[in-house]
Amino acid sequence: MLKMVAAAALALSAVLTAPAAHAAPDVPDFVTIDVVTVNGSGCPAGTAAVAASHDRTAFTVTYSDYLAQAGQGAAPTDFRKNCQLNIRVSYPQGFTFGIAQADYRGFIHLQAGATGTERGNYYFQGMSNGASRTHNFTGPKSDNWQATDRAQVSEIVYAPCGEVRHLNINTELRVNAGSSKAASFMTMDSTDSSVSTKYQFSWKRC
């Protein structure tokens, strides 16, 4: 059922509108998010969905099958999983946006000597500059994990004013079993098989 819901969510646009009288001065009156493509071993078809927040300041990505693992029972290619999202964000003229913060979370189980890595990369189509952050974890550890990518104001990369540029979001999970033969794994999901990764917009007027 969850995968059917996620697939349906991918097929639809996330459209948010609000009366102009209630919009904050530096937040557009409406934001539309369309998923153009979704690819990667960490987000097979129907297992990722995107939705915008009601206040138009953020959007979330929900995964239901994002798992990297190594050690006993894991296939040789399971140690690395990734997901690439290409997103079109529509909004009124006179605004542009960048990604100010990204919040990730999931569950991690690492044997002693094993390591896990989460990496996020964000850039606009046709632009060489972007933002990339990496978070490392060391075993032994068996708990929920959280990681935040936060950009300083001067570091935020904005889409060019007056141009339509798709936003590319690439994420990656890696697990290295180290000297342990026992299973280690890292997910970007939770016990209910889904978790939201939140990306916060930084809006500015052109």
Side-chain angles (χ1 to χ4, degrees):
M1 176 61 75
L2 180 61
K3 291 188 177 182
M4 293 176 62
V5 173
L10 270 175
L12 299 175
S13 301
V15 182
L16 297 171
T17 61
H22 298 291
D26 292 318
V27 176
D29 295 338
F30 72 87
V31 177
T32 303
I33 298 180
D34 297 301
V35 178
V36 181
T37 59
V38 53
N39 294 293
S41 55
C43 52
T47 67
V50 178
S53 66
H54 293 294
D55 61 4
R56 306 174 305 286
T57 62
F59 65 94
T60 58
V61 181
T62 303
Y63 303 100
S64 60
D65 192 19
Y66 205 153
L67 166 70
Q69 57 186 332
Q72 186 176 11
T77 58
D78 286 346
F79 79 98
R80 177 185 179 273
K81 293 297 176 72
N82 76 301
C83 184
Q84 302 180 14
L85 296 173
N86 182 275
I87 296 173
R88 180 173 58 247
V89 182
S90 302
Y91 44 89
Q93 290 187 352
F95 282 90
T96 186
F97 77 97
I99 300 299
Q101 180 173 313
D103 299 307
Y104 300 93
R105 61 191 180 97
F107 188 84
I108 192 167
H109 177 79
L110 299 177
Q111 304 290 341
T115 59
T117 299
E118 179 275 326
R119 184 175 184 270
N121 175 253
Y122 332 97
Y123 63 96
F124 289 101
Q125 193 171 29
M127 298 176 64
S128 59
N129 57 330
S132 179
R133 299 287 189 277
T134 300
H135 302 272
N136 297 309
F137 304 86
T138 302
K141 182 178 179 65
S142 186
D143 200 356
N144 295 318
W145 66 269
Q146 286 187 303
T148 296
D149 298 346
R150 184 179 294 107
Q152 301 295 324
V153 174
S154 60
E155 297 175 334
I156 298 174
V157 177
Y158 290 90
C161 285
E163 298 183 21
V164 177
R165 295 290 182 97
H166 293 182
L167 175 65
N168 292 286
I169 300 175
N170 299 331
T171 57
E172 177 183 329
L173 295 180
R174 284 178 180 262
V175 174
N176 187 327
S179 59
S180 176
K181 294 183 179 180
S184 290
F185 64 88
M186 185 175 184
T187 71
M188 209 176 288
D189 60 16
S190 63
T191 53
D192 63 358
S193 297
S194 67
V195 66
S196 291
T197 298
K198 185 175 182 180
Y199 298 88
Q200 296 187 17
F201 288 124
S202 175
W203 293 104
K204 73 175 183 178
R205 292 187 180 273
C206 294

